[in-house]
């Protein structure tokens, strides 16, 4: 065979092999991390983990899981309302105007802004004036993180709704708000749900913004948002750093890590299922 | 004048007009709907403007809170090579150095791997497998950062320490952090690269194949040139992520607060320093940490803005 052909085929094979190896390299970490979580987390799992509160010795993660659920749920609800509303304006009213482009650009930047900065920001505007750490502050920090995610997916999904549907509704005499609520939202529902679920998954694992907003406590806290709120990521952080000399606390942290990762991955998979449904 | 049941032409005309035009009921309905329309637009616009308000208040509050430290420390904040709260020395140099070095290491590892995965996913992967592998890479992006930190500290650092003791005497350090960051940003860069590579019309691929190109030649000479800006945008987006990552880095960077101008030694990053010290900080130290936060915000804002600019340019040009 012609040597030029042979060389070209060789180069091609080498590069394709390399990209295959790169894919294996990229995927293997997921399995390694899951393997570690299962081997270290499963032995420490028990019913007590979910029902007992955190203590210096023994105990479980019940209060932390409850606190995380409360803050994440409230932040998701608040963030979804504001995010959908803002995304609606960008898609339906803002269009290509200069203000809308600016907001879109800023939103895209905030979408990947470091979460620890959001924590510092909420510390400066909520915790300092209030004088103490609180569940409200933690919720506000999580809300600031989820809002850009929801805005982005709402706008993207509304733009996918064909204009002819809007025009048909308008020709029947529907007002603009009714068109948006009844026609556009029903078309974009599945996509927006995906965005909300992804955002919810993201904030349930966030630790950095809770460090100096919600802090943490060993007590149960049922909806007393005005005081410090126990939460799962902070318990993991503390058990792996300042409490890491106690083996039982480290084991508990791995059980918590398993629970947290399972919750986040399930949310991610739900989001993907919802996205797949919206494409049909 | 009209008498009895007889109707003048003028009155009949008026009667017909009234039937054609909106009744009282319809008029109020119209008015109400118009009002709802206005309220709806104003409410949604208010929410959208909150994004600008958010950016303004983030910058404003950090500037305000960091100002005391800036006026007290002046330029020494950026040049002092040591952060020691007990002797009131707050030099941001070790943290800034650590942030940049770890992010660059992460980018250097992540670029070839992400490109490889993207080539595999778009060009050679059988369609059935494409979805599965794509989902797995995306799930990697969903794993919370604190899990990466715990895993890095308990698995990766001991592994590096026992297998490469000459390079990683402690297991933790800037390179370990860079490696963890690389694993975290690979999914982001891969997703963007794959998406922009998919925007290349298949007719261009087919033409090149028709001329006898190998897959690599198609990728190298047809696909890469037309999505260059988008790929660069994806890489910069990953860089932005790496710069601000906190929890994963805090666990494995070693938290050494002196400037250690090596690549594998222990150090600290801006985010890790803030996470470690902020909850116990007060006075000047707290202000200095907030100032450090402002520095990080400005750096990441510039980087992310650049990434968005490049991505938007590709998206406008390429048909999706």
């Amino acid at each position: 065979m012609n040597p030029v052909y042979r060389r070209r085929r060789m180069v091609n094979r080498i590069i394709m092999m390399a990209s295959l190896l790169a894919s294996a390299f990229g995927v293997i970490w997921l399995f390694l991390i899951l393997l570690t979580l299962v081997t270290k987390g499963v032995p420490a799992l028990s019913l007590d983990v979910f029902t007992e509160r955190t203590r210096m010795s023994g105990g479980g993660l019940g209060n932390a899981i409850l606190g995380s659920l409360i803050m994440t749920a409230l932040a998701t609800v608040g963030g979804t309302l504001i995010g959908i509303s803002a995304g609606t304006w960008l898609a339906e009213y803002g269009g290509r105007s200069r203000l809308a482009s600016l907001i879109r650009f800023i939103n895209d930047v905030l979408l990947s802004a470091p979460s620890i900065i959001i924590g510092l920001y909420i510390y400066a505007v909520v915790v300092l004036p209030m004088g103490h750490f609180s569940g409200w502050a933690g919720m506000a920090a999580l809300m600031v993180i989820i809002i850009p995610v929801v805005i982005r997916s709402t706008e993207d999904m509304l733009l996918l709704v064909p204009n002819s549907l809007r025009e048909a509704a308008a020709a029947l005499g529907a007002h603009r708000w009714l068109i948006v609520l009844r026609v556009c939202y029903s078309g974009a529902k599945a996509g927006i749900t995906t965005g909300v679920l992804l955002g919810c998954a993201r904030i349930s694992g966030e630790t950095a913004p809770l460090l100096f907003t919600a802090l943490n406590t060993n007590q149960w806290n049922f909806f007393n948002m005005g005081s410090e709120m126990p939460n799962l990521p902070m318990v993991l952080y503390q058990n792996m750093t300042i409490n890491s000399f106690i083996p039982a606390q480290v084991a508990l942290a791995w059980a918590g890590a398993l629970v947290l990762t399972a919750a986040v991955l399930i949310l991610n998979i739900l989001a993907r299922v919802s996205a797949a449904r919206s494409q049909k | 004048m009209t008498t009895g049941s007889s109707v003048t032409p003028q009155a009949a005309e008026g009667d017909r007009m009234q039937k054609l035009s909106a009744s009282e009921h319809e008029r109020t309905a119209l008015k109400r709907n118009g009002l709802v329309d206005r309220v709806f637009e104003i409410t949604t616009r208010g929410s959208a403007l909150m994004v600008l308000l958010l950016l303004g208040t983030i910058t404003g509050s950090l500037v305000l809170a960091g100002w005391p430290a800036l006026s007290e420390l002046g330029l020494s904040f950026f040049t002092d090579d040591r952060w020691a709260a007990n002797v009131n020395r707050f030099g941001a140099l070790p943290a800034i150095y650590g942030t940049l070095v770890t992010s660059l290491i992460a980018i250097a590892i992540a670029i070839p791997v992400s490109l490889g995965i993207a080539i595999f996913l778009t060009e050679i992967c059988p369609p059935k497998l494409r979805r599965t592998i794509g989902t797995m890479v995306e799930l990697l992006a969903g794993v919370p950062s604190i899990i990466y930190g715990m895993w890095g500290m308990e698995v990766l650092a001991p592994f590096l320490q026992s297998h490469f003791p000459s390079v990683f005497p402690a297991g933790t350090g800037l390179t370990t952090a860079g490696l963890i960051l690389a694993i975290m940003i690979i999914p982001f860069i891969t997703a963007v690269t794959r998406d922009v590579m998919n925007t290349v019309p298949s007719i261009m691929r087919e033409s090149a194949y028709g001329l006898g190109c190998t897959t690599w030649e198609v990728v190298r000479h047809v696909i890469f040139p037309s999505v260059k800006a988008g790929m660069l945008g994806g890489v910069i987006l990953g860089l932005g992520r790496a710069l601000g990552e906190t929890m994963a880095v805090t666990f494995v960077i070693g938290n050494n607060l002196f400037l250690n101008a090596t690549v594998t030694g222990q150090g600290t990053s801006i985010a890790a320093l803030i996470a470690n010290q902020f909850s116990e900080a007060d006075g000047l130290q707290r202000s200095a940490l907030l100032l450090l936060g402002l520095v990080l915000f400005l750096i990441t804002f510039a980087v992310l803005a650049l990434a968005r600019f490049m991505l938007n340019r590709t998206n406008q040009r390429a048909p999706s």
Side-chain angles (χ1 to χ4, degrees), chain B residues 118-134:
Chain B
I119 293 175
F120 179 75
L121 284 178
T122 53
E123 309 300 325
I124 52 181
C125 184
K128 271 186 186 164
L129 214 61
R130 198 172 288 171
R131 186 86 182 269
T132 321
I133 294 182

Side-chain angles (χ1 to χ4, degrees), chain B residues 75-97:
Chain B
L75 214 60
S76 77
F77 179 77
F78 296 100
T79 53
D80 199 350
D81 60 357
R82 184 180 166 200
W83 185 283
N86 50 348
V87 293
N88 263 354
R89 276 182 69 180
F90 300 105
L93 208 54
I96 294 176
Y97 174 79

Side-chain angles (χ1 to χ4, degrees), chain B:
Chain B
M1 293 293 106
T2 58
T3 52
S5 61
S6 69
V7 180
T8 62
Q10 288 92 347
E13 183 69 14
D15 202 35
R16 225 174 63 213
M17 282 306 286
Q18 203 160 29
K19 271 185 192 149
L20 275 178
S21 72
S23 71
E24 192 63 26
H25 171 70
E26 284 166 333
R27 258 203 297 273
T28 53
L30 267 176
K31 208 179 279 173
R32 203 177 54 224
N33 271 312
L35 192 69
V36 174
D37 248 355
R38 288 264 302 281
V39 170
F40 189 76
E41 189 186 344
I42 289 170
T43 321
T44 53
R45 188 197 291 155
S47 314
L49 286 174
M50 269 191 58
V51 174
L52 296 184
L53 183 76
L54 214 53
L55 179 76
T57 48
I58 290 175
T59 322
S61 66
L62 289 180
V63 168
L64 219 61
W67 189 253
L70 190 61
S71 57
E72 178 101 358
L73 301 165
L75 214 60
S76 77
F77 179 77
F78 296 100
T79 53
D80 199 350
D81 60 357
R82 184 180 166 200
W83 185 283
N86 50 348
V87 293
N88 263 354
R89 276 182 69 180
F90 300 105
L93 208 54
I96 294 176
Y97 174 79
T99 303
L100 295 180
V101 168
T102 48
S103 304
L104 290 180
I105 294 174
I107 284 290
I109 300 173
I111 287 177
V113 175
S114 308
L115 279 188
I117 303 178
I119 293 175
F120 179 75
L121 284 178
T122 53
E123 309 300 325
I124 52 181
C125 184
K128 271 186 186 164
L129 214 61
R130 198 172 288 171
R131 186 86 182 269
T132 321
I133 294 182
T135 310
M136 281 199 283
V137 174
E138 279 162 26
L139 283 185
L140 199 60
V143 174
S145 60
I146 188 164
I147 307 293
Y148 281 101
M150 290 170 66
W151 185 80
M153 186 173 81
E154 292 256 312
V155 181
L156 186 64
F159 174 84
L160 292 175
Q161 192 180 15
S162 62
H163 286 76
F164 310 98
S166 55
V167 191
F168 302 98
T172 56
L174 296 175
T175 303
T176 316
L179 196 55
I180 290 279
L181 284 177
I183 301 172
M184 295 184 71
I185 62 174
I186 282 173
F188 291 103
I189 304 183
T190 304
V192 174
T193 313
R194 183 193 58 188
D195 290 348
V196 295
M197 280 172 75
N198 275 333
T199 62
V200 176
S202 49
I203 191 138
M204 280 173 70
R205 279 195 185 92
E206 285 154 18
S207 320
Y209 279 123
L211 290 173
C213 287
T214 62
T215 311
W216 166 241
E217 283 160 352
V218 173
V219 170
R220 169 76 185 77
H221 297 291
V222 177
I223 296 177
F224 277 2
S226 66
V227 297
K228 227 166 18 191
M231 288 191 332
L232 199 56
V235 169
I236 300 174
L237 199 66
L239 179 66
R241 283 267 169 182
L243 286 170
E245 182 46 51
T246 311
M247 294 326 284
V249 171
T250 308
F251 278 105
V252 293
I253 200 164
N255 298 315
N256 165 23
L257 302 182
F258 296 85
L259 181 64
N260 179 1
T262 60
V263 178
T264 55
Q266 297 189 309
T268 191
S269 77
I270 296 180
L273 185 59
I274 297 172
N276 272 320
Q277 300 206 338
F278 195 80
S279 38
E280 286 118 37
D282 222 331
L284 183 62
Q285 189 187 3
R286 187 166 67 196
S287 177
L289 286 168
L290 283 158
L291 182 60
L292 207 53
L294 180 66
V295 172
L296 178 63
F297 185 59
L298 294 180
I299 296 176
T300 46
F301 190 91
V303 166
L304 293 171
L306 185 65
R308 284 300 163 191
F309 177 70
M310 305 200 94
L311 280 174
N312 288 350
R313 238 180 32 181
T314 327
N315 290 347
Q316 273 165 16
R317 200 194 40 187
S320 51

